[in-house]
Amino acid sequence: MDNRNGPSETTQRTLLSDGPHNAPPRSACVVVIHGMGLGSRADVDDGRVLVGRSQDADLCIAHKSVSREHCHIWRDGDDYRIRDLGATNATRVNDVPVAEATLADGDHVTVGESILKFISHTSVEANYHEEIYQLATRDPLTDLCNRRHFIEQMEREIARALRHQRPLTICIIDVDLFKPVNDRYGHISGDEVLRQIADLVHHHARNDDIAARIGGEEFAVLLPECDAGAAYSFAERLRSAVAAATFSPGGEPQRITVSIGIADLSPVRDNRVRLMTAADAALYRAKKEGRNRVCLEP
């Protein structure tokens, strides 16, 4: 058809619009935009946000230029305030040293060699940075933590548990005989199996637990304030739930199981590498002993 003398039949009309829809308000936040901790953020709700090098800080920036307790940020009615806590390198707002000040949307806060951006709860940027944060920390397939974020959180929880002498346990979960599922039914069906298992992991984890996908068909759950006995009970409930679930890759019902290895923080497992190595060893035993079981590293 010759459309030189008239509009194409596929021409679309421009939609009449009142402009962008207003997103629901979010909490104000501070986001690291330069230096150590790039991309990290902390929401400023009703409580005080501690920024510092300490693993107990709400926004931990583990750099020697940052004091252990560097500054506080909090909401004061309709305003947001910041207070320096006697840091060696004084807190600066828009490059001006401050003892205490009111923050405005877009202000830059210098903490040691890192720069934070303050984003008000009324700013359209708040939702943008939330999206970016989620993309940086979540596994896109399962919506659990990704491996990088899990390791960062694990380092922080280990330091906290050692400092306060509190229990901490990790479970590493591996899907049994997953490769034949992918080979027979394809990766799309395999991905659906992983999503279903991730949902079960999320359902059984407590609010304070940190659940992640750390490999292709491997998951992990870090359990703060949880000793080995309680972690074993959690792992058994999860294992049983997976074994009882109905999986239908390619439309064919299949029984799929997981093996789980557990290790708890101890004097001989006092860092991330040793703790994960011990849990991996327990997982290997579970596989070797017949799969679909939970093993605890002594």
Side-chain angles (χ1 to χ4, degrees):
M1 179 184 295
D2 188 350
N3 291 317
R4 289 176 295 177
N5 298 320
S8 165
E9 292 181 359
T10 60
T11 298
Q12 294 183 344
R13 293 173 180 263
T14 302
L15 177 67
L16 184 64
S17 171
D18 293 327
H21 296 291
N22 291 326
R26 299 194 55 82
S27 298
C29 63
V30 281
V31 181
V32 181
I33 61 172
H34 175 80
M36 179 71 75
L38 182 65
S40 301
R41 60 169 280 162
D43 291 332
V44 185
D45 294 312
D46 296 329
R48 289 175 180 258
V49 170
L50 172 63
V51 180
R53 194 176 73 248
S54 168
Q55 293 287 346
D56 290 327
D58 301 292
L59 181 56
C60 177
I61 304 175
H63 192 271
K64 59 186 179 182
S65 66
V66 179
S67 295
R68 288 184 55 80
E69 295 187 352
H70 205 100
C71 63
H72 273 143
I73 301 172
W74 72 98
R75 184 170 184 170
D76 183 13
D78 292 332
D79 293 328
Y80 291 88
R81 304 281 293 170
I82 185 167
R83 177 183 295 147
D84 182 79
L85 298 176
T88 301
N89 295 307
T91 304
R92 304 168 75 91
V93 176
N94 299 328
D95 215 26
V96 177
V98 297
E100 185 170 328
T102 299
L103 291 172
D105 182 45
D107 278 350
H108 286 184
V109 178
T110 302
V111 177
E113 296 181 9
S114 293
I115 299 175
L116 287 56
K117 184 175 183 179
F118 173 72
I119 302 170
S120 168
H121 66 287
T122 61
S123 172
V124 294
E125 281 193 68
N127 289 287
Y128 164 76
H129 281 283
E130 174 66 18
E131 292 284 344
I132 295 298
Y133 181 74
Q134 293 299 324
L135 289 171
T137 60
R138 313 302 289 187
D139 172 59
L141 177 66
T142 63
D143 201 36
L144 300 178
C145 291
N146 60 27
R147 183 181 181 89
R148 175 186 172 188
H149 187 57
F150 179 78
I151 287 174
E152 291 173 353
Q153 295 293 98
M154 188 173 177
E155 295 278 12
R156 181 174 179 174
E157 289 298 332
I158 288 173
R160 182 177 295 171
L162 290 173
R163 182 176 300 109
H164 299 291
Q165 298 184 329
R166 303 302 301 165
L168 179 70
T169 313
I170 185 174
C171 299
I172 296 183
I173 305 143
D174 191 79
V175 183
D176 296 325
L177 302 173
F178 184 68
K179 187 176 184 298
V181 173
N182 266 344
D183 291 345
R184 180 172 181 179
Y185 302 106
H187 289 281
I188 293 176
S189 293
D191 285 351
E192 185 54 42
V193 169
L194 294 178
R195 276 192 289 266
Q196 193 171 344
I197 291 174
D199 287 344
L200 290 169
V201 171
H202 179 75
H203 175 75
H204 283 79
R206 304 168 303 173
N207 288 339
D208 292 336
D209 296 338
I210 302 168
R213 181 187 178 207
I214 59 172
E217 63 268 21
E218 194 169 62
F219 301 85
V221 181
L222 191 67
L223 300 104
E225 301 292 334
C226 188
D227 61 20
Y232 189 90
S233 297
F234 159 80
E236 268 296 331
R237 290 194 299 272
L238 176 59
R239 182 202 61 78
S240 297
V242 174
T246 301
F247 297 89
S248 300
E252 297 182 13
Q254 294 286 328
R255 183 171 184 260
I256 292 176
T257 62
V258 295
S259 297
I260 304 176
I262 302 173
D264 61 339
L265 199 64
S266 72
V268 296
R269 297 191 287 265
D270 59 355
N271 62 41
R272 177 183 61 82
V273 173
R274 290 173 182 168
L275 191 57
M276 292 190 77
T277 298
D280 272 329
L283 175 63
Y284 177 78
R285 286 208 333 272
K287 294 283 191 181
K288 189 176 180 180
E289 292 175 11
R291 303 183 182 89
N292 189 27
R293 65 191 62 218
V294 177
C295 283
L296 173 66
E297 190 69 359

